[in-house]
Amino acid sequence: MRWSYRLRRAFWGPGLGPARQPADESIPFVIHWNWALKGQCPRGPPRVFIRHYGSSVGSVPPPGKHERLFRNISTAEAIQRHRRNLAEWFSRLPREERQFGPTFALDTVHVDPVICESTPDELLRPSSELALDHQPPPARLPTLALSQLFDPDACGRRVQTVVLYGTVGTGKSTLVRKMVLDWCYGRLPAFELLIPFSCEDLSSLGSAPASLCQLVAQRYTPLKEILPLMAAAGSRLLVVLHGLERLNLDFRLAATGLCGDPEKPEAPATIVVNLLRKYMLPEASILVTTRPSAVGRIPSKYVGRYGEICGFSDTNLQKLYFQLRLNQPDCGHGAGGAGVPATPAQRDNLVEMLSRNLEGHHQITAACFLPSYCWLVCATLHFLHAPTPAGQTLTSIYTSFLRLNFSGEMVDSGDPSKLSLMAYAARTMGKLAYEGVSSRKTYFSEEDVRSCLEAGLRAEEEFQLLHVFRWDALRFFLAPCVEPGHRGTFVFTVPAMQEYLAALYIVLGLRKTTLQQVGKEVAEIVGRVGEDVSLVLGIVAKLLPMKALPLLFNLLKVVPRVFGRVMDKNREAVAQAMVLEMFREEDYNNDDVLDQMGASILGMEGPRRHPDEAPEDEVFELFPMFMGGLLSAQNRAVLAQLGCPIKNMDALENAQAIKKQLGKMGRQALPPSELLDHLFFHYEFQNQRFSAEVLSSLSQLNLAGVRMTPLKCTVVAAVLGSGRHALNEVNLASCQLDSAGLRTLMPVLLRARKLGLQLNSLGPEACRDLRDLLLHDQCQIATLRLSNNPLTAEGVALLLEGLAGNTSLTHLSLLHTGLGDAGLELLAAQLDRNQRLQELNVAYNGAGDTAALALAQAAWRHPSLELLHLYFNELSSEGRQVLRDLGRTAAGSAQVVASLTEGAAVSEYWSVILSEIQRNLNSWDQGRVRRHLELLLRDLEDNRGATLNPWRKAQLLRVEGEVRALLEQLGGPGS
C-alpha cells in the first residue's frame, strides 16, 4: 500500500485543494468507437477538443495547401457533417470521467505519449523472459510526433501504412481518438477524409459479407454520396484500424483471395487484409493500432513504419499531465468542504508535492510510465481530497480503472476459449498477489513470478495464452523494482493493485487446494449418485423387504453437506485473516488507511517502522477493504462485464463469514484510526443492512485525533447515519472539522448523547450548523463540549438561538472560545431562555469583572443551573471576592467557580480546574496560562498563611504542589 517506503518526507501543506482527475489515457477506444460505428451518441452536451497548447473551439478546417479533391459543394458539406459527427462522438465522456465535475473535459488535459520508431528486427528480437524490460528502442531510432507518422522514411520512400503498438495502458485508444479530433478541427491538413474503424466492431460481424462501401455507409451516413470518390482520394484518405488484435487476419491467398472492388461484399477480415495488401484503395494511407503480440499478424512487407507507444517514459510528461489535470478550474471543490472551490494555491500545493515525488525517480515514477496509471493516481487523489460523488468507493475506482483498460479484451482472439484478459489476470496475477499478502511481502523474484504464471500449464494452447499475456499485459501489473536493495525483483505497478488483485482472487473462489478441487467434484458426483440410488431403492423397498438399504444410501447425500462445511471453514479462515489485517495495530504510529494512501502518493512516509520490527513486515490494510468492496452489487456487476462474475451464493457465504468475524472483533474497543478503518470497510461494502447488524453494538464513536477530511465525514455519515440506536458518546476532538464536515455528519451527531467537538477551530460560521443541530426535533445531545474553538461572541449569539429551542442539553462547555465580555453579557441576557441547562463552562474567555458578575447573577436566578465555571478569566482579586460574597447570600442553587480557593479554603472543584488546565496545557497560550497559574499560586500561599487550621493548610499545600508542577511543565518558577 505504500509507494513511499524509505522515501524522504514531504510537506503536508495547509488545506489541500481538490485533486482533479487525470486525462483518461486508458479509456477504451471502443466505448466511443462503437457510438460512432452504430450511429449512437450518449446523452450530454458535446465537447470540443482543445489541446494543451491552444484552443480550437469553433475552428473551421483551413483550406489545404494542395488542390482539394472534393470540390462539389454538396460533397464538401457531407465531409463537414462527417467532421462534426466524429467530433461530437469522440468528445463524449464516459461516466468515470463525468464524476470529476460538470465542467471537466479531456480536451484541456491531453498529453501525447512518447512514440519511438521501431523496426522488424526490434520486433523479432528475443524478448526477456518476463517481457518486463520495456526500454525505448536504441537512440538511433528517433521519436515521432503524430504529425510525422506518414513522413517519408530514412530512404525517402513514401510511407502508406503505419503500425502503432503498445502494451495495455500505454494510451493507444486516447492517441487515436486525439488524432481523429485533430482531423475534425483541421489540424491534419494532409488528409482530406478520415474513416475510423474499430476492429472489435468488425469482428462482431463474423464472416457475414459486406462491402467496404456498405460498412462506411452504415456507420458514417453523411459519406454515402461521396463513396464513389474514395478511390480518387489517394493518399489524402486516411483509414484508421484500431485494435487489430481483435481480428484474425490470414494473408494467404488460399484463405483470403484478392479483392480490389470497394463495392464487392466480402467478410470484414478479407476487406482489412486487402486494404493492408494495398490491393483495395492502393493509394490510401492506413494507420493500425494493436497490442505487441498481434504485430506479426501483418507481414512486414506491407508496413511502411512501426511505432512503439512508450507511454510517459519522460518524467516531464508525467509532471505536465498531473499539472494539467490537477489544476483544472471548477472541476470540483476543495478539501475545505462541499461548495468551497479550491484556491490556486491549494491546487499548486498538491501538484508540487506530487512532482517532488516524481523527481525522486521512485517507484511511483516507474508506475506512471503508463498513462493509465497517471489516471488512477489522479482519480485516487480526487477521491481522497475532494467531495465524493454518491456511491463512489475506492474499490469502484479500481474496478472502473480495470474496465477502462480491459473491457471486452480477450487474451487471444484466435483462441477458441475466448478467455477474458481480466479473468486470466485475476487467475495468474491474483495468485501472485495473494501469496504476497499471505507471506507479507511486496517484492517478488523472477522465480516467484514464473511459478505463478506457469502453474498447472500442460497444453500448447495454455502456453500460447501465457506468451500473449506476457507480451501484452504483464507490464501493466508488474514493474521492475527501483528501490535500493531490491534491484532485480519485481513489484506490482501500484502497491494497492496487489491488494486489489489478492481480494479479487479470493472472492472469485480461485484459491483452492488440491483437496478442495478434487473433493468438490467427488462430492457432487457422490451426491447425485446417492439421490438417484435412494430414489430407486425407495421404490423397490415398497415391494421387497429391504428397508435398510435406502437408509444406507441416504448417507451418500450427506457427503455434499460435509464438503460444504469444509468450504465454510475455509471461508471463515480467510475472513478471520482479513479482519485481523484490518484491525492490525502498531503502537508506534498507525494512521488510518486513507491517510496512508494519500501519504504514499504524495511522497510522505507512511507509518514509521518500529526499530525492532523485521524490515520486510508489511501491513495490507487495503486488502480487507477491497474484499468488502468487491462483494458489493455495483462492483460485482462491473466485474461480470470484465468476464469475472462472482456467484450470488459465493458472495452471500463470504459475507456471512466476514460478518461472523466482525461480530467477534467489533465488540472490542478500537483505537480511533482502527475504528475509522472498520467504518471504511463498511463504506466499501455498501450494504446498509449488513452494517446495521454488525454495528448495532457500537455505543461509543471515538475518532479523536483523526483528520476528518470530506471523504472521512462522508464515510462515517454513510455507514452510521441510517442507524437507529443511540450513541452514548461521539468524540471528534482535534479532528480538523469544519462547517461542511458538521453538515455531513449531522445524521450521526443527532444520535449522540455526549458530543465532543473541542480543538477543531470551529468559527462563528459553524455555530449556524450547531444551532440547527440543537433545534432539530431528533436531537438527543445532553453534553456538548466546544472548548478551544474560536466561536467568539458572534458565534455564541447563534448558539443561544439553538439553546432557546432545545430540550435535551444539560451540560455545555464553552471553555476558551474567545467570548470576551460581549459573549458573557449575551449569555447573561439570554440564559433564562433555556430551562434545562445544569452546567455551563465559560472559563478562559478573557472576560472582566462586570461581565462575569452579570453572568453569575443570571446563573443564580436560573431554575436548573447547578455549576458555572468562570476561572482563568481576567478577574481582579476584588472581583473574585465580590463573587464569593454574593455566592454566599444568593438565593439560587448554582455554584460559581472562579478560583482554586473559596475564602481561606480550597475550592471543592480544584481538581476539575487543574485537570482542565493539564488537558489543554499544550494548546493554550503559554504566557497567559503561566500568568494565571502564578496568580492562583499567590492566592493559595496567602490563604495558607492566613489560616490556622492544619487540615486546611495541608489541603492548600497539596494544591500548591499541583500548581507548581504545572508551572514547571511550562518552564516557569515552580518554587
Side-chain angles (χ1 to χ4, degrees), residues 457-476:
L457 295 186
R458 296 292 182 270
E460 177 63 28
E461 293 78 7
E462 294 174 338
F463 280 98
Q464 175 60 26
L465 291 178
L466 175 58
H467 173 75
V468 173
F469 180 78
R470 278 176 170 165
W471 266 107
D472 295 344
L474 188 57
R475 175 61 179 88
F476 182 87

Side-chain angles (χ1 to χ4, degrees), residues 743-782:
R743 287 192 293 272
T744 303
L745 291 169
M746 186 74 74
V748 179
L749 304 184
L750 287 171
R751 294 166 48 203
R753 292 197 175 99
K754 294 181 180 179
L755 177 59
L757 296 173
Q758 55 269 41
L759 291 162
N760 274 299
S761 301
L762 297 173
E765 67 282 355
C767 291
R768 298 183 185 277
D769 303 294
L770 292 172
R771 175 196 62 189
D772 297 340
L773 174 65
L774 292 173
L775 291 175
H776 200 283
D777 56 359
Q778 296 179 9
C779 180
Q780 303 181 42
I781 299 174

Side-chain angles (χ1 to χ4, degrees), residues 332-350:
H333 305 293
V340 182
T343 64
Q346 289 173 326
R347 293 194 294 265
D348 290 342
N349 185 43
L350 196 62

Side-chain angles (χ1 to χ4, degrees), residues 5 609-618:
Y5 174 45
R609 297 185 183 277
H610 191 275
D612 298 332
E613 186 182 353
E616 294 301 314
D617 187 44
E618 292 288 342

